Amino acid sequence: MKRLLLGAALAVGTLLSASASLATELTFWTWRQEDKAEYEKLFAAFTKANPDITVKFEAFEATSYNTVLSTALAGGKGPDLMMTRTYGGIESLAGAGYLMPLDDTKIPALKGFSQAALASETMRSNKTLYAVPAASQTMLVIYNKEIFDKNGISEPKSWDEFIAACKKLKAAGIMPFANGTATAWQNETIVSALTSSVMGKAFYADLMAGKTDFNDPRFVEAMTRLKEISAYFPDGFVGLDYASAQQLFTSGMAAMFAGGSFELANFAKQNPAIKLGIFAAPGLKADDDKLVGLFYDSGFAANAKAKDPAAALKFLSYAASKDFAQPFANNLNNVSAVPGVTFDSPLLAKVAELNKNSIAYMTLVHFRYGEPTGSNLIQAGVSKMFNGQMTPQEIGKSMTDGLATWYAPFKK
């Protein structure tokens, strides 16, 4: 009898050992170091549903992530799964063959994603998707509700109302805007956050159709209005860096901040007592469309040489599901690209509502595929305009001429 029991125990041990040897550990790389705890919860939920697969989180500095990732993949030592950039940011990895091609036969949930979301992770040359879109970001105006209420200011409906609100705040001894432009990329964000409604949907449609360029009077008007409203930025704003501008806003010294929805969680963390509101900067007239600038900033991809492709696809299917996206939205304060996700945060719910009337954050979405990039051109142009070295018309010409070196619709 003892021999039988010993034999059974050995058999069970052998089975458990075999089962353990068949388990797959997938490695996941990201630049979001601060999100480790929440991602590990998401990975644990995935493993609970897929006991034979575990996912190991590893994060790198955001500024070095692209280099670290591409170097590892080129050397055949990259992760099984990774967070990817979007638009031009994914093309170098996809073009080199490092990423697993995806479609809705491999991941059926992709059928429900918006075309704009899918385009953010699609290679232009072969029209192939290489990542599950993760989150969108929205360029808009964030404001301190208590300051607005105390000064009898409501969300402006026209440009004149916008300027009047700025004048009223300044007269009350309050900085209307906290924004500074010493950090180069901030010169680009304020264009989308403050002038999308001034440019309008028709200009954006004509630009994308190749019917116009940045010399268009509608773009020049937008730059003119940007220069006008910069009079309500802090004194010396051209020397004010990003971190200092954030502190001006969260400390309550300034009423508004023109930027992205990605600021909301950080502002609330810096000052938990602050009451935030958001709105789309208005157009010239009250009945103009009030537009935000929209872009997708990340996705989830699999290594073309993942150790277990089937397991990697299981994870990407999970990332495309509401089981992943709902906690991703609520716990990481993201507007998920997965359709049907709701939001515990009223602010995020409003962001999602504003997204229904938007144009692309165009210099990022459409003009980062060659050199010079639209981002570099607009950042330099706006900086020079604020320093009195370039006019709105000259920004438009610089944008058009610079992009014409690689962007076919602008070539003469």
Side-chain angles (χ1 to χ4, degrees):
M1 184 65 176
K2 288 182 179 180
R3 289 181 180 178
L4 288 172
L5 290 173
L6 179 61
L10 289 171
V12 169
T14 301
L15 285 171
L16 290 173
S17 176
S19 176
S21 67
L22 292 173
T24 297
E25 180 183 79
L26 300 174
T27 51
F28 174 91
W29 285 13
T30 178
W31 63 87
R32 297 289 303 173
Q33 300 179 16
E34 60 270 45
D35 295 341
K36 181 178 181 181
E38 293 301 330
Y39 269 101
E40 289 184 338
K41 291 177 187 176
L42 290 166
F43 296 166
F46 172 71
T47 297
K48 185 176 180 180
N50 300 273
D52 57 333
I53 308 171
T54 58
V55 185
K56 181 181 178 182
F57 180 98
E58 190 166 357
F60 300 86
E61 288 289 342
T63 53
S64 61
Y65 178 75
N66 288 5
T67 301
V68 171
L69 179 61
S70 60
T71 301
L73 290 170
K77 298 179 181 179
D80 299 293
L81 302 162
M82 67 210 80
M83 184 171 273
T84 57
R85 308 289 189 182
T86 50
Y87 309 108
I90 196 175
E91 294 230 338
S92 59
L93 300 180
Y98 298 145
L99 305 181
M100 182 188 297
L102 306 175
D103 56 38
D104 57 24
T105 61
K106 294 177 179 177
I107 304 174
L110 289 171
K111 292 177 182 177
F113 281 62
S114 73
Q115 286 303 307
L118 295 173
S120 72
E121 299 286 6
T122 295
M123 184 84 169
R124 292 172 307 152
S125 59
N126 63 10
K127 310 298 182 188
T128 300
L129 181 74
Y130 287 96
V132 174
S136 69
Q137 301 294 346
T138 306
M139 309 309 296
L140 36 64
V141 178
I142 304 167
Y143 69 96
N144 185 314
K145 294 183 76 171
E146 289 185 338
I147 293 177
F148 266 43
D149 291 345
K150 185 177 179 180
N151 289 274
I153 296 171
S154 56
E155 296 177 8
K157 302 294 189 293
S158 68
W159 193 263
D160 285 346
E161 286 186 18
F162 203 10
I163 296 298
C166 291
K167 288 180 177 178
K168 189 171 186 179
L169 289 163
K170 194 168 185 178
I174 301 165
M175 294 180 200
F177 282 95
N179 293 82
T181 57
T183 304
W185 62 273
Q186 287 288 285
N187 287 284
E188 181 179 10
T189 60
I190 58 176
V191 171
S192 185
L194 293 172
T195 71
S196 288
S197 301
V198 177
M199 285 187 267
K201 286 184 177 180
F203 166 69
Y204 176 64
D206 288 347
L207 188 71
M208 292 299 97
K211 295 178 180 179
T212 193
D213 55 32
F214 288 101
N215 291 307
D216 190 292
R218 292 167 291 187
F219 179 77
V220 173
E221 177 71 20
M223 294 303 96
T224 302
R225 297 296 177 166
L226 180 65
K227 185 176 182 181
E228 177 188 15
I229 207 163
S230 70
Y232 303 99
F233 288 5
D235 291 342
F237 72 90
V238 295
L240 184 68
D241 66 18
Y242 177 49
S244 299
Q246 290 178 306
Q247 288 169 9
L248 282 180
F249 180 74
T250 56
S251 68
M253 295 177 68
M256 291 179 281
F257 190 96
S261 53
F262 49 82
E263 304 284 4
L264 295 172
N266 185 41
F267 286 165
K269 184 177 181 180
Q270 287 186 38
N271 180 2
I274 197 168
K275 292 181 173 59
L276 300 174
I278 55 174
F279 63 87
L284 299 182
K285 302 188 298 294
D287 57 356
D288 287 344
D289 282 337
K290 291 168 182 59
L291 306 173
V292 293
L294 181 66
F295 70 101
Y296 291 84
D297 73 340
S298 58
F300 301 109
N303 193 328
K305 297 180 179 178
K307 68 173 71 76
D308 188 334
L313 279 173
K314 277 188 179 181
F315 178 82
L316 292 184
S317 293
Y318 170 59
S321 73
K322 286 182 69 175
D323 287 342
F324 176 95
Q326 194 63 67
F328 176 77
N330 289 333
N331 300 335
L332 291 173
N333 293 295
N334 283 299
V335 176
S336 172
V338 176
V341 171
T342 57
F343 304 96
D344 289 348
S345 163
L347 272 177
L348 280 189
K350 186 170 181 182
V351 171
E353 188 64 28
L354 289 174
N355 286 348
K356 295 176 182 178
N357 205 21
S358 64
I359 59 173
Y361 181 12
M362 63 184 75
T363 46
L364 185 160
V365 172
H366 299 294
F367 298 108
R368 283 194 186 177
Y369 294 96
E371 293 292 341
T373 67
S375 293
N376 289 338
L377 290 165
I378 194 67
Q379 289 172 24
V382 167
S383 177
K384 288 179 179 179
M385 180 177 73
F386 290 152
N387 281 298
Q389 300 169 323
M390 189 173 275
T391 66
Q393 290 84 356
E394 287 170 338
I395 293 178
K397 185 177 188 303
S398 173
M399 291 281 293
T400 302
D401 292 349
L403 292 169
T405 62
W406 62 269
Y407 184 63
F410 290 178
K411 291 179 183 290
K412 306 299 182 185

